[in-house]
Amino acid sequence: TERAYTDGMRAFLKQELGVEAAIIDTQASYGGIAGTYRESFNDFVDMHAYWQHPNFPGRPWDSANWSIRNTPMAADKNGGNLAHLGLYRVAGRPYTVSEYDHPAPSHYAAEMFPMIASFAALQDWDGLFQFDWGGTDSNVRRIAGYFALRQHPAKLAFLPAAALMFRRGDVPPATERALLRIPAAEVEELTAENVSMSEAWRRGGLALGDLLTHRQEVLFAPAGKLEMEATKGLPSPVAWDTEAGLYTVDAPAAKVVAGRCAGRTTKLQGAEFDVKSNPRAFAVLCLNAADGRPLARSRRLLLAAAGNVENTGMGWNPDHTSVGNKWGSAPTICEGIAARLTLTTAAKRARAYALDGAGARAG
């Protein structure tokens, strides 16, 4: 029924109205395997994901009665949103994530852009959209809601790093591919048996480590059996130790250390991050070559570091899973990250500048 609707609406828009824009129906996960099959006939495939979306145990969207788990995705042993989103990329179709967020007031929102942007670049996805900007008051001067990007320094500070890694391609796409073949004739049966896309990949033999070395793709084949083909894995610039809760990127022009890195030293190629202890043992640091050269030869580097961010006077409950409707006031408070960064560089001298909110040199 969904296929008939989607095919008919697409034909009407394209053939009768002459629409030239790229068309999808909805998220590829809506409808299980059959939903991904439905979307595979459209111009591109799209998904949404939120890390620990607010839960409303009573009335939906009750601003006083909600909670989040408030744990870092970097420490999720199942691969968090990244493992989930990778399941739905269809071979031969562009792939986008048109809603993405790590909702406030999470203590760990700083990990959002470095993780999703580097992973999307590795997987060679085509577009990322953060949901959402957060209203029209440009002078609110505090985090105003679950999804607001404006005035959220733990998210905004990492946008340049995300752009360099994803848009410019400083994190290169994985050269190896993991292709899951699903016989089109079995789509209805698999869906009726409630076989999820995750289960289909598991049956094919996908391991969590494959996500960092292979581009995932689904192919609905005219015949055959459900199986996965994977080329031999090569080293990846992205590493993820879910046991330690540490996610890193080690590309020539991009370095990321995200998660449980406080109180330890993380050594990457040509860069060493000695991060001092803090209350949650959590921090995110990105070091990017603004000129795109390998760090050792770069003439301009951008360093961003952040940990917990919250408004002044937020009314946390005892286990820090909700503030109810007590979001606090301006200004937003940022946890300073104490760290020693050691670089291998061909430069004979160097100068460091603090940047203001607009990126201008402030001292």
Side-chain angles (χ1 to χ4, degrees):
T1 299
E2 291 179 4
R3 271 284 312 280
Y5 160 76
T6 303
D7 293 349
M9 182 60 77
R10 184 178 60 250
F12 171 70
L13 291 168
K14 293 275 190 179
Q15 297 168 19
E16 295 193 40
L17 297 187
V19 171
E20 296 183 4
I23 288 176
I24 59 168
D25 182 0
T26 185
Q27 288 188 64
S29 60
Y30 287 173
I33 290 178
T36 310
Y37 184 56
R38 175 196 68 233
E39 296 301 307
S40 71
F41 294 91
N42 291 325
D43 295 320
F44 65 105
V45 176
D46 183 65
M47 279 290 292
H48 301 169
Y50 294 82
W51 176 244
Q52 299 182 346
H53 190 288
N55 175 54
F56 300 89
R59 177 171 53 87
W61 297 102
D62 185 341
S63 61
N65 185 18
W66 57 270
S67 67
I68 57 173
R69 284 171 51 207
N70 205 1
T71 62
M73 190 171 75
D76 185 74
K77 292 179 174 57
N78 296 316
N81 288 347
L82 307 188
H84 171 68
L85 289 168
L87 305 174
Y88 299 95
R89 203 278 183 72
V90 174
R93 288 287 183 270
Y95 183 69
T96 61
V97 178
S98 66
E99 287 186 25
Y100 191 81
D101 198 44
H102 290 210
S106 170
H107 295 315
Y108 308 100
E111 68 186 358
M112 179 182 78
F113 274 123
M115 291 186 72
I116 187 64
S118 58
F119 185 79
L122 185 76
Q123 288 291 322
D124 199 25
W125 296 348
D126 297 280
L128 295 174
F129 302 75
Q130 189 270 345
F131 183 90
D132 65 349
W133 177 240
T136 58
D137 182 1
S138 61
N139 199 37
V140 65
R141 305 189 68 79
R142 68 182 182 104
I143 301 168
Y146 311 113
F147 313 113
L149 176 61
R150 61 170 186 174
Q151 307 295 349
H152 197 309
K155 297 178 181 180
L156 289 167
F158 294 104
L159 272 173
L164 295 174
M165 291 188 292
F166 179 71
R167 287 211 318 246
R168 193 169 68 182
D170 286 357
V171 175
T175 57
E176 306 302 304
R177 184 173 75 155
L179 180 68
L180 179 67
R181 293 181 179 272
I182 300 178
E186 296 182 18
V187 165
E188 289 187 24
E189 181 180 351
L190 290 166
T191 304
E193 294 175 354
N194 203 30
V195 176
S196 66
M197 190 62 77
S198 178
E199 171 63 15
W201 276 102
R202 190 195 65 78
R203 292 183 184 184
L206 182 76
L208 184 60
D210 295 331
L211 304 180
L212 306 180
T213 55
H214 293 73
R215 288 179 290 112
Q216 282 181 269
E217 295 180 326
V218 177
L219 177 66
F220 292 99
K225 61 180 181 178
L226 192 156
E227 60 183 354
M228 185 181 78
E229 300 174 4
T231 52
K232 185 178 180 180
L234 294 176
S236 169
V238 177
W240 193 357
D241 185 342
T242 58
E243 291 291 333
L246 183 64
Y247 180 98
T248 61
V249 175
D250 195 0
K255 310 291 179 182
V256 174
V257 178
R260 306 288 192 194
C261 62
R264 60 184 291 178
T265 299
T266 303
K267 296 182 179 181
L268 304 178
Q269 186 68 36
E272 183 175 300
F273 298 81
D274 178 14
V275 185
K276 305 308 178 186
S277 298
N278 62 22
R280 293 180 179 83
F282 175 87
V284 180
L285 300 94
C286 286
L287 180 67
N288 300 85
D291 54 14
R293 300 178 182 180
L295 258 64
R297 301 199 308 271
S298 175
R299 296 182 63 86
R300 194 159 63 98
L301 302 177
L302 175 65
L303 175 66
N308 181 36
V309 167
E310 57 186 78
N311 294 333
T312 300
M314 270 186 157
W316 287 104
N317 63 3
D319 57 359
H320 278 223
T321 56
S322 182
V323 299
N325 54 14
K326 300 175 182 176
W327 281 80
S329 60
T332 300
I333 306 299
C334 307
E335 177 185 21
I337 301 302
R340 180 185 298 274
L341 174 60
T342 306
L343 292 174
T344 300
T345 177
K348 301 303 181 184
R349 58 188 178 88
R351 187 174 292 174
Y353 297 92
L355 304 182
D356 65 17
R361 293 174 178 177

